[in-house]
Amino acid sequence: MQAYTAISGSRLPTAAAIAMKGAAAMPHRSDAMTAKPVGVARVLGKGEEVFAEGDAAEFFYKVVSGTVRTYKLLNDGRRQIDAFHLAGDIFGLETGEEHRFSADAVDAAKIVAFRRRRFETLAHDDPELGDQVMSSMMRSLERAHDHMMLLGRKTAQEKVASFLLDMSRRVSKGDRFDLPMQRTDIADHLGLTIETVSRTLTQFAREGLIKLAAASRSVVLCDKDALRRLNA
Amino acid sequence: MQAYTAISGSRLPTAAAIAMKGAAAMPHRSDAMTAKPVGVARVLGKGEEVFAEGDAAEFFYKVVSGTVRTYKLLNDGRRQIDAFHLAGDIFGLETGEEHRFSADAVDAAKIVAFRRRRFETLAHDDPELGDQVMSSMMRSLERAHDHMMLLGRKTAQEKVASFLLDMSRRVSKGDRFDLPMQRTDIADHLGLTIETVSRTLTQFAREGLIKLAAASRSVVLCDKDALRRLNA
DNA sequence: CGCAGAGTTGATTATACTCAAATCCAGTGG
DNA sequence: CCACTGGATTTGAGTATAATCAACTCTGCG
């Protein structure tokens, strides 16, 4: 609710450039949302802010290395992390005039900023980045929607299983990987508490579905099928 | 997911629907939408399906009257309704090649289908519809994100309060309105059970925040401020 | 009327939360 | 090299919120 009220009444973010069909079909009018390689890399320390909710969305970003989280806060501090962005991911792309999330570094990270501009210009100047931007937006939507299902209707076990499989797919080629974020972040992403996340992971480990090690950041998925079954 | 209709329930809201939030930024010549029926109006019976998850996204739709819900199902039947679409709202617009949701009518409804095509073509042929489409997508994203916060971090009371305020803003001019959907739908939208929805509404009524009547579909918000406070 | 679907209410339970303490670990400095 | 520290994580005990199971009421409709 907060967000609607925040914007309501003032201006409607002008035309945003979202294609209805693939990268070829692109918007159009005025200052839309995308891109131009500004290309200075920026190094972020752990926890360093990239932008805050409500900031003018002048740039969007691509993760070079490390991990960035985007999130919203409730006035009493409750946090919902909508996504973790890993190397290669684009984040901070808005259809409106301001950022609807805050973003900061989960760990030491490196990002590149792009000045936002009309998508067609971007697509023309740098077709490859244009494609990346498009598919990034599509994935973002898709993920947001799947995540609603997870948050609204899945159990703690299912949430954690989903999360592990997702991270595995994204960060590892095999079944072993390191989680870049801590329990608090996982909890705020899955709509759980850190204790529940921890207990669930421990339980998975006891049951032989996973192995944990090294400050519990390192994970091995031993029984992906069982996890997938849990994933509902 | 949908544009918010500031208009009361049933009549075709024309441009006002979309313009509500940013009339200034939205140039509209009067009902371009109706003037250009790119599609055929379709009348839906209660519960009638518009499309299912995975269907080719050949069309997108605009609600003329009534209410449509879009949702995802888990294999065991758990459902997450991502949004309710009221008169004037656009739904079923995808960035990919297929629908990521199912959509069906909550009550008797009337919709118009539009053939999906390149955005630039649409924007050229029918600028107003193009604007509506754009702003629909932006709101869709915005709502999805806010809804994640609700699902992941809000209590039952906060969820229901959010929902009531949101519906009120969308379907009524004053503080009185009828809910087009039943408890099951509300529950599946908010990530609750029908019993919890019912109890929470009853509790609000007992505390004088709202009044319920007529098979509990009719709602009067008596104390919006209290609801807003609950809304976190 | 009487029926069926929707909604409410009640009793009980379970899942996940809260509060609290113990343990683990990386980094630091003696 | 190792004890110390503080943050992160795990574990434990008790609890609360919302779920579940079940009965009951209401409403609209044939």
Side-chain angles (χ1 to χ4, degrees):
Chain A
M1 320 307 334
Q2 356 56 278
Y4 323 137
T5 346
I7 346 181
S8 102
S10 33
R11 76 276 115 195
L12 219 213
T14 52
I18 300 182
M20 300 169 52
K21 249 180 175 171
M26 276 337 321
H28 83 87
R29 327 187 354 174
S30 59
D31 60 330
M33 68 182 184
T34 2
K36 142 335 171 88
V38 148
V40 186
R42 182 170 159 203
V43 174
L44 301 169
K46 187 172 173 170
E48 197 173 338
E49 179 175 286
V50 182
F51 54 80
E53 193 174 342
D55 283 1
E58 196 183 348
F59 301 97
F60 67 93
Y61 306 85
K62 181 170 174 173
V63 179
V64 176
S65 64
T67 307
V68 171
R69 66 190 158 223
T70 45
Y71 59 92
K72 278 175 185 289
L73 293 174
L74 246 31
N75 40 31
D76 65 354
R78 278 174 287 175
R79 182 177 65 159
Q80 177 65 44
I81 295 180
D82 86 297
F84 294 109
H85 308 276
L86 310 179
D89 293 343
I90 286 170
F91 70 96
L93 198 46
E94 302 288 346
T95 44
E97 292 303 318
E98 40 181 74
H99 287 296
R100 290 187 316 265
F101 291 105
S102 300
D104 57 29
V106 169
D107 50 12
K110 197 169 171 184
I111 61 177
V112 195
F114 296 90
R115 186 173 298 278
R116 181 177 118 151
R117 44 172 192 168
R118 300 177 57 179
F119 188 91
E120 13 187 42
T121 315
L122 167 68
H124 178 263
D125 294 356
D126 187 345
E128 189 178 338
L129 180 59
D131 280 349
Q132 287 182 34
V133 164
M134 261 332 289
S135 76
S136 154
M137 292 205 62
M138 288 172 43
R139 264 200 306 273
S140 166
L141 253 169
E142 224 167 283
R143 287 175 155 275
H145 289 143
D146 288 339
H147 208 56
M148 277 196 261
M149 176 91 250
L150 177 145
L151 291 170
R153 285 290 176 234
K154 291 191 181 179
T155 65
Q157 290 198 8
E158 291 166 347
K159 287 176 176 182
V160 174
S162 283
F163 176 73
L164 290 173
L165 289 169
D166 187 38
M167 284 305 293
S168 161
R169 199 166 41 69
R170 293 174 67 195
V171 313
S172 81
K173 294 205 163 71
D175 294 337
R176 198 211 152 281
F177 59 95
D178 288 302
L179 293 170
M181 73 294 285
Q182 54 187 57
R183 299 291 185 263
T184 308
D185 294 312
I186 301 176
D188 285 348
H189 183 50
L190 301 181
L192 298 171
T193 57
I194 52 173
E195 293 95 332
T196 298
V197 170
S198 177
R199 275 185 247 272
T200 306
L201 287 171
T202 305
Q203 185 200 339
F204 283 173
R206 253 200 320 269
E207 295 168 350
L209 303 194
I210 63 171
K211 277 195 185 62
L212 295 172
S216 301
R217 289 298 185 85
S218 151
V219 181
V220 185
L221 304 189
C222 306
D223 191 345
K224 276 195 175 181
D225 286 335
L227 289 172
R228 267 190 277 269
R229 251 171 281 131
L230 271 177
N231 192 15
Chain B
M1 297 325 313
Q2 58 298 320
Y4 290 15
T5 315
I7 315 299
S8 53
S10 30
R11 250 143 288 78
L12 210 193
T14 68
I18 300 284
M20 149 200 177
K21 225 160 130 184
M26 287 312 231
H28 42 34
R29 49 182 153 106
S30 49
D31 48 1
M33 174 83 221
T34 42
K36 249 196 169 113
V38 185
V40 190
R42 184 173 155 199
V43 173
L44 301 168
K46 188 173 172 169
E48 197 174 337
E49 179 175 289
V50 183
F51 54 78
E53 193 174 342
D55 283 0
E58 196 182 347
F59 301 97
F60 66 93
Y61 306 85
K62 181 167 175 175
V63 179
V64 176
S65 65
T67 307
V68 172
R69 67 191 157 222
T70 46
Y71 58 92
K72 278 175 184 288
L73 293 174
L74 246 30
N75 39 33
D76 65 356
R78 277 174 287 176
R79 181 177 66 159
Q80 177 64 42
I81 294 180
D82 84 299
F84 295 108
H85 309 276
L86 309 180
D89 295 343
I90 285 170
F91 69 96
L93 199 46
E94 303 289 346
T95 44
E97 292 302 319
E98 41 180 73
H99 287 296
R100 290 187 316 265
F101 291 105
S102 300
D104 57 31
V106 168
D107 50 11
K110 194 167 171 187
I111 61 177
V112 195
F114 297 91
R115 185 170 300 277
R116 189 175 109 153
R117 45 195 173 140
R118 296 183 56 177
F119 189 89
E120 7 182 57
T121 314
L122 168 67
H124 177 264
D125 293 355
D126 186 342
E128 177 163 350
L129 180 59
D131 280 345
Q132 289 186 25
V133 164
M134 274 321 303
S135 88
S136 157
M137 294 204 63
M138 297 187 315
R139 283 189 190 142
S140 166
L141 257 168
E142 222 169 283
R143 294 201 117 235
H145 291 144
D146 288 338
H147 208 57
M148 278 196 263
M149 176 92 249
L150 178 145
L151 291 170
R153 286 288 176 237
K154 291 190 181 179
T155 64
Q157 290 199 7
E158 291 167 348
K159 288 176 176 181
V160 174
S162 282
F163 175 73
L164 290 174
L165 289 169
D166 186 37
M167 285 304 293
S168 162
R169 204 157 46 67
R170 293 173 67 194
V171 311
S172 82
K173 292 202 163 75
D175 294 337
R176 199 214 150 280
F177 58 95
D178 288 303
L179 293 170
M181 74 293 287
Q182 53 186 56
R183 300 291 184 263
T184 308
D185 295 311
I186 300 176
D188 284 348
H189 183 51
L190 300 181
L192 298 171
T193 58
I194 51 174
E195 292 95 332
T196 298
V197 170
S198 177
R199 275 186 249 270
T200 306
L201 287 171
T202 304
Q203 185 200 339
F204 283 173
R206 254 200 318 268
E207 294 168 352
L209 304 194
I210 64 172
K211 277 197 186 60
L212 294 172
S216 300
R217 288 300 184 85
S218 151
V219 182
V220 184
L221 304 189
C222 308
D223 191 346
K224 276 196 174 180
D225 286 336
L227 289 173
R228 268 190 275 269
R229 251 172 280 130
L230 271 177
N231 192 13

